[in-house]
Amino acid sequence: MRQLYPLLLLLTLSFNYIHSQRPGGDRERGPIVINGKVVDKDDNLPLEYATLVLQSVNNPDKITGGITDIDGNFKVETPPGKYNISIEYISYKTYRLPNQTLTESTDLGTIKLALDVAQLEAVEVVGEKTTVEVRLDKKIYNIGKDLTNSGATITDALNNVPSVDVDVEGAISLRGNENVRILINGKPSALAGFGSTDALTQLPADAIEKVEVITSPSARYDAEGTAGILNIVLKKEKTLGFNGSVNTTIGYPVNSGISVNANLRTDKFNLFNTTGYNYRDAPGNAFYDNTYNDTTSVYNRIIEDREYNRLRKGFNTNIGLEYFLTEQSSITGSIFYRTSKSEDETANTNQRFISNALDSETFRSEDESEDDNNYQFSLNYVNDLDDDGQKLTIDLQYSKGEEEKFNIIQENNTLPNDDLIVLENVYEEEIDNEYLVQADYVLPMGDAQFEVGYRGTFEETSTDYRLESLNQATGSFDINKDLTNLFTYTENVNALYTQYGNKFGKFSFLLGLRLENTQLKGELTSLYDTSELEDQLGIDVEANFDKNYLGLFPTVNFIYELEENENISLGYNRRINRPRGRYVNPFPSRSSRANIFQGNPDLNPAFSNAFDLGYLKRWDKITLTSSIYYQRETDSFERVQEATGLKTSDGIDIVRSIPINLATNNRIGAEAGMLYSAAKWLRLNSSFNFFQFSTEGEFNGVDYGTTNTSWFARFSSKVSLPAKIDWQTNAFYRGPSSTAQTENGGIFSLNLAFSKDILKDNGTISLNVSDLLNSRKRTSYTETEFFTSDSEFQWRRRQITMGFVYRFNQPKERNRNGRGNNNDEGEEEIEG
């Protein structure tokens, strides 16, 4: 802890350029420059993020300094005077030069730091903890070596991040709000999927370096996502030479995979690659007890018992080359490719009742195959225009996704006969094309910093949907003309932004303004007469539209340092939620014959205004982070269920789900997190989030206004046992919640993990049990005017995984130094 405190303080100083009064009698003289280089004494490798501390002898409270760059170089401006000079780096002995009189620019030369053997045992602990850094507009969680991530996916890893919740179906929410924007390395990406988070369930968690939770995004980020932004930063090694790791997993139910991270860095280029293959099964189950109030319905009750088997096979690779044009500029090109094949089998047993007496039983099977191919080509240019921080970056990116689905649905009677009820073939093809152009310019202005930029994203999604049903009279398949269609959705966003940040003593602020123009276009094509569908469902199938929105999105962020280890923060931002293509496509698609989903072409974007007040306090072994927040959203989205007035051929009411714009959604909440380093062998981490939201609005004469209160909490403990064995426990509970129509029960889950270092710490074996109690199930009760539904759903059963990782040319001690990325769990970086 003592070693980290100066590092954290100086990192803060280096980003905020705190300029104190010139000491002694040198106040009229201009600044001088102190430069040099810091390397490892044993191998002469440069030490990035080493800290230079300049403490005034005449006024010890006046401290300035800086950090080394990737090549170990530092260059700091300071007033002439008399200083105590020290250079520090985690787990290395501090280099000291006391009482140095500096009257002119000085080159300290190459400074060699030696490992502090007495600190190595502590270093063994540091790198294995998830740490947090607090910035003006976000919190950064360095995933570190979270043991429960072994064999896990990115989605699983996100579920261990405070403020984030991943439900049993993989939907990601931030502070209980699912309208969260997912970015990869600061940009929308095919790695995260196109308008879906399914891709994140197929990428390994060990590819993550850190996750940025951005609840009050600055103007630099696009305004999409009323809940905020989750930015997933992937690993890219900076160490010179060739190095990497191999990670293998095997588990039950079937969960096997291998991923390789390799990096080759020289003085002129950095070649990096991550390649992985996974093969996993995700068995699950569901139970539904549906009661129908419609007196015209043939059945008054239907009980469904479902079993799921989902087989996933995926391959992904990301290869890139960063070429250093000069010492100040570089260009990086990368190619990402992901392909996956899914085979889902659903067995559904139905019991049908008339006047509460069993009338018949049926069995429905669904065999769905899905092929996905995603490509992404990126080009990035960075130019550090001067040594003062002036910087220009340009990004170009093209992404393409191709998804093909084929589903065979067959339903037969099993009581009182075995007659075929229906046999259907469903074909769906979706093609996404997305272009991104971005340019950012940063200009330091003394203590202040000015930034301006442009981002353009241009996306087109084409969905081709076809449904064929077996005509038992003719023995041939007939096309369902009411549901077969081709829908093309276009979303173009052009944005300009500017922001300005400064610090005055203990007060820091960041002000920004973003101007966005959004164009949403829909084009619907059907080869058949849709007038019957219009009459039945009451929609306008000729739903071609071209909407244009121009909006200003201000952001305001403040931090005031009450004391050295205590601060309060205040943030405000305005954001937008744009509907995706599926939400505006008026042609229904269905998960079963009696349940359809239908988009709403009249759906408009939702806008929100959000406020966040935070407090941070740090003691020797405890760090407390907390905040209260309020958000008001207009035209917020809500999915509702209603009767269509239609029935299946065997008399079951057809229910549709449709997204609508509600009038308002007010959300208020509070969250707190505590990190406690109880001892070298014990670390505790807990967080709690409480929120309430109230909605107002109606649709088709039904009032969907409601008020709901819910909460979720996490607890994690990590114990270092003898023989280099670590034991980690993660517990999570999400409290009950409700919407206008549905009440959801609470969910509890418990994960355990163990790891042991072997092969001279170059290898690690691990055992991970996810959902130890097999309790991660969603229970819900839905009630409308026409039906009620009591259900239980489990997406994936308990999972046991064994893993082995081997690091080559990456000694674990060196990894745990983290090149400045891994701080003590009880510490946080506070940057202005």
Side-chain angles (χ1 to χ4, degrees):
M1 186 81 74
R2 177 180 59 83
Q3 295 286 336
L4 289 172
Y5 174 74
L7 172 61
L8 297 174
L9 175 61
L10 262 298
L11 283 175
T12 304
L13 295 175
S14 67
F15 278 94
N16 292 285
Y17 300 97
I18 298 180
H19 296 278
S20 60
Q21 275 192 330
R22 298 177 176 87
D26 298 304
R27 293 174 181 167
E28 302 302 324
R29 301 185 57 185
I32 60 175
V33 176
I34 309 300
N35 65 285
K37 184 172 185 176
V38 182
V39 300
D40 184 294
K41 181 180 180 180
D42 295 328
D43 55 22
N44 288 319
L45 288 176
L47 296 178
E48 184 187 9
Y49 295 116
T51 307
L52 169 70
V53 180
L54 299 173
Q55 182 183 41
S56 172
V57 174
N58 298 328
N59 188 353
D61 291 334
K62 299 297 184 181
I63 300 175
T64 186
I67 58 175
T68 57
D69 61 17
I70 193 172
D71 298 315
N73 297 316
F74 61 84
K75 187 176 182 180
V76 175
E77 286 189 358
T78 188
K82 194 171 185 179
Y83 292 93
N84 292 320
I85 302 175
S86 62
I87 297 176
E88 302 174 351
Y89 193 68
I90 301 174
S91 79
Y92 283 75
K93 294 180 179 179
T94 299
Y95 176 86
R96 303 183 190 278
L97 289 172
N99 298 316
Q100 299 294 306
T101 301
L102 304 176
T103 58
E104 60 184 14
S105 296
T106 303
D107 184 355
L108 297 180
T110 299
I111 299 168
K112 297 183 177 183
L113 299 185
L115 282 170
D116 187 346
V117 178
Q119 293 294 324
L120 287 181
E121 181 63 26
V123 174
E124 286 296 310
V125 173
V126 169
E128 297 199 350
K129 292 177 287 186
T130 300
T131 63
V132 58
E133 305 167 25
V134 178
R135 305 285 179 86
L136 264 169
D137 59 342
K138 58 192 170 187
K139 293 179 182 176
I140 303 174
Y141 294 93
N142 297 304
I143 296 300
K145 191 170 175 62
D146 188 328
L147 303 186
T148 60
N149 285 340
S150 177
T153 66
I154 288 182
T155 300
D156 297 325
L158 290 178
N159 204 35
N160 291 329
V161 175
S163 303
V164 180
D165 179 26
V166 182
D167 71 11
V168 293
E169 293 181 274
I172 299 170
S173 62
L174 182 58
R175 292 175 167 176
N177 189 343
E178 290 188 4
N179 183 28
V180 56
R181 178 70 155 165
I182 307 293
L183 302 179
I184 303 290
N185 294 332
K187 298 183 287 292
S189 172
L191 279 74
F194 293 89
S196 169
T197 58
D198 291 345
L200 299 181
T201 65
Q202 301 175 35
L203 297 176
D206 63 355
I208 303 176
E209 177 180 325
K210 56 188 177 183
V211 176
E212 298 179 344
V213 178
I214 311 173
T215 53
S216 185
S218 68
R220 176 187 300 177
Y221 299 98
D222 57 25
E224 173 69 26
T226 54
I229 295 172
L230 289 178
N231 181 33
I232 300 169
V233 180
L234 303 182
K235 293 177 180 176
K236 187 173 71 171
E237 180 62 45
K238 297 180 179 180
T239 307
L240 288 172
F242 179 69
N243 52 79
S245 63
V246 179
N247 196 339
T248 61
T249 58
I250 186 170
Y252 177 83
V254 177
N255 178 20
S256 58
I258 181 171
S259 63
V260 179
N261 296 293
N263 191 89
L264 175 62
R265 182 181 175 89
T266 71
D267 292 333
K268 289 301 296 180
F269 68 86
N270 184 28
L271 178 65
F272 53 92
N273 173 248
T274 300
T275 298
Y277 175 81
N278 63 81
Y279 183 98
R280 60 167 47 198
D281 191 10
N285 55 82
F287 177 83
Y288 299 86
D289 188 347
N290 303 321
T291 301
Y292 296 89
N293 302 324
D294 185 358
T295 56
T296 64
S297 176
V298 175
Y299 305 104
N300 72 305
R301 185 184 182 193
I302 298 177
I303 296 177
E304 299 184 38
D305 196 353
R306 301 183 188 181
E307 292 289 336
Y308 301 97
N309 282 293
R310 308 179 188 88
L311 186 62
R312 303 284 190 268
K313 295 176 284 187
F315 171 82
N316 64 86
T317 185
N318 182 36
I319 185 169
L321 175 67
E322 181 179 10
Y323 183 76
F324 306 106
L325 302 172
T326 67
E327 291 185 358
Q328 290 78 32
S329 64
S330 68
I331 187 168
T332 303
S334 64
I335 300 174
F336 169 78
Y337 172 68
R338 178 177 64 86
T339 181
S340 66
K341 295 182 180 294
S342 304
E343 298 175 7
D344 293 356
E345 297 180 357
T346 303
N348 191 342
T349 302
N350 290 263
Q351 293 180 309
R352 305 177 179 188
F353 297 82
I354 298 178
S355 299
N356 294 321
L358 180 63
D359 175 76
S360 60
E361 292 184 355
T362 67
F363 178 80
R364 184 174 76 243
S365 64
E366 299 182 30
D367 296 327
E368 180 180 271
S369 61
E370 179 179 333
D371 291 340
D372 284 309
N373 289 283
N374 290 274
Y375 315 82
Q376 182 173 290
F377 305 91
S378 302
L379 194 64
N380 168 260
Y381 171 75
V382 177
N383 193 335
D384 295 318
L385 300 174
D386 57 32
D387 294 333
D388 296 326
Q390 188 178 190
K391 187 175 184 178
L392 173 67
T393 60
I394 298 174
D395 291 280
L396 303 174
Q397 183 173 287
Y398 168 67
S399 304
K400 182 175 183 178
E402 299 174 342
E403 178 184 280
E404 293 184 0
K405 292 182 181 179
F406 176 60
N407 192 8
I408 301 175
I409 303 173
Q410 180 173 340
E411 189 166 3
N412 292 77
N413 283 323
T414 57
L415 180 74
N417 54 55
D418 59 358
D419 293 346
L420 174 67
I421 299 175
V422 67
L423 178 60
E424 296 179 335
N425 295 327
V426 181
Y427 304 87
E428 188 171 359
E429 181 179 10
E430 184 173 298
I431 298 177
D432 292 275
N433 286 282
E434 184 176 289
Y435 300 86
L436 179 142
V437 180
Q438 181 173 336
D440 301 280
Y441 172 70
V442 178
L443 176 64
M445 303 166 62
D447 290 350
Q449 181 169 291
F450 171 77
E451 187 172 341
V452 65
Y454 163 80
R455 174 183 284 186
T457 55
F458 313 95
E459 181 179 359
E460 181 183 88
T461 302
S462 176
T463 304
D464 191 351
Y465 184 89
R466 186 170 84 253
L467 174 65
E468 298 177 347
S469 300
L470 176 67
N471 187 325
Q472 297 190 51
T474 63
S476 61
F477 283 90
D478 297 336
I479 294 178
N480 186 315
K481 299 179 181 180
D482 291 337
L483 299 180
T484 299
N485 70 96
L486 174 64
F487 185 70
T488 302
Y489 182 67
T490 302
E491 178 183 293
N492 298 326
V493 180
N494 287 280
L496 293 171
Y497 82 90
T498 183
Q499 63 183 21
Y500 174 78
N502 206 340
K503 179 167 184 174
F504 300 97
K506 296 183 177 182
F507 178 73
S508 304
F509 68 86
L510 182 63
L511 308 177
L513 184 64
R514 189 176 186 91
L515 175 67
E516 287 194 352
N517 176 256
T518 301
Q519 182 187 37
L520 305 178
K521 295 175 61 177
E523 183 178 357
L524 186 62
T525 304
S526 178
L527 301 176
Y528 310 103
D529 181 12
T530 58
S531 58
E532 182 179 350
L533 181 64
E534 292 180 14
D535 294 338
Q536 291 174 340
L537 299 183
I539 62 171
D540 179 12
V541 179
E542 296 296 334
N544 299 328
F545 59 86
D546 189 346
K547 301 178 181 180
N548 208 289
Y549 304 88
L550 183 65
L552 282 174
F553 301 91
T555 62
V556 179
N557 290 288
F558 301 101
I559 283 185
Y560 182 74
E561 298 178 14
L562 300 171
E563 294 182 0
E564 211 164 40
N565 299 322
E566 184 178 18
N567 70 60
I568 58 174
S569 60
L570 177 65
Y572 161 77
N573 64 87
R574 182 174 188 259
R575 301 188 62 74
I576 186 175
N577 182 14
R578 305 179 183 94
R580 305 297 300 178
R582 182 169 181 261
Y583 267 42
V584 294
N585 184 353
F587 266 90
S589 60
R590 60 188 183 184
S591 57
S592 69
R593 293 186 304 123
N595 293 276
I596 64 174
F597 176 86
Q598 180 188 340
N600 180 3
D602 292 328
L603 199 65
N604 293 316
F607 294 88
S608 72
N609 290 275
F611 299 85
D612 189 293
L613 177 64
Y615 172 76
L616 178 144
K617 174 69 174 177
R618 187 171 63 240
W619 295 270
D620 287 340
K621 293 186 176 183
I622 299 176
T623 296
L624 170 68
T625 58
S626 61
S627 64
I628 57 175
Y629 52 89
Y630 170 75
Q631 180 188 77
R632 180 176 177 83
E633 185 174 350
T634 57
D635 285 335
S636 61
F637 298 168
E638 179 81 11
R639 281 181 59 169
V640 299
Q641 291 181 302
E642 61 178 14
T644 62
L646 306 177
K647 300 182 185 298
T648 63
S649 58
D650 47 345
I652 301 175
D653 289 330
I654 297 177
V655 178
R656 74 166 174 177
S657 297
I658 185 170
I660 63 172
N661 285 119
L662 287 176
T664 60
N665 185 331
N666 292 300
R667 181 181 296 265
I668 186 169
E671 64 180 355
M674 181 171 292
L675 308 173
Y676 178 36
S677 297
K680 286 185 178 181
W681 57 271
L682 176 63
R683 282 82 64 195
L684 305 176
N685 188 346
S686 63
S687 64
F688 179 81
N689 196 305
F690 172 86
F691 54 89
Q692 180 186 79
F693 66 86
S694 59
T695 60
E696 298 177 0
E698 64 175 39
F699 181 72
N700 286 346
V702 179
D703 184 3
Y704 291 102
T706 187
T707 298
N708 171 241
T709 299
S710 188
W711 59 280
F712 60 87
R714 281 187 180 84
F715 176 79
S716 174
S717 67
K718 190 169 183 183
V719 180
S720 296
L721 302 173
K724 295 184 178 181
I725 297 176
D726 286 329
W727 165 27
Q728 182 171 319
T729 304
N730 286 2
F732 175 83
Y733 180 77
R734 184 174 63 190
S737 63
S738 65
T739 65
Q741 294 180 321
T742 302
E743 296 180 359
N744 298 304
I747 298 177
F748 175 77
S749 62
L750 181 68
N751 299 339
L752 292 181
F754 299 86
S755 77
K756 176 175 172 53
D757 294 337
I758 59 175
L759 302 176
K760 297 181 179 179
D761 291 344
N762 289 317
T764 303
I765 56 175
S766 61
L767 174 66
N768 180 14
V769 183
S770 176
D771 194 13
L772 176 69
L773 305 179
N774 204 39
S775 58
R776 190 170 169 78
K777 302 176 182 180
R778 182 188 64 205
T779 58
S780 61
Y781 178 76
T782 299
E783 182 175 5
T784 71
E785 293 182 355
F786 56 93
F787 89 106
T788 62
S789 178
D790 199 352
S791 66
E792 179 182 278
F793 179 80
Q794 183 179 31
W795 175 258
R796 185 175 64 187
R797 296 202 303 263
R798 175 176 46 233
Q799 180 81 53
I800 302 173
T801 306
M802 290 193 66
F804 171 70
V805 59
Y806 181 78
R807 296 168 289 275
F808 51 92
N809 297 330
Q810 285 186 344
K812 196 165 188 182
E813 290 83 3
R814 175 76 68 180
N815 273 356
R816 289 177 175 180
N817 290 341
R819 296 298 184 192
N821 289 331
N822 289 326
N823 302 317
D824 191 287
E825 186 168 344
E827 299 287 343
E828 304 197 5
E829 289 190 40
I830 297 88
E831 298 193 3

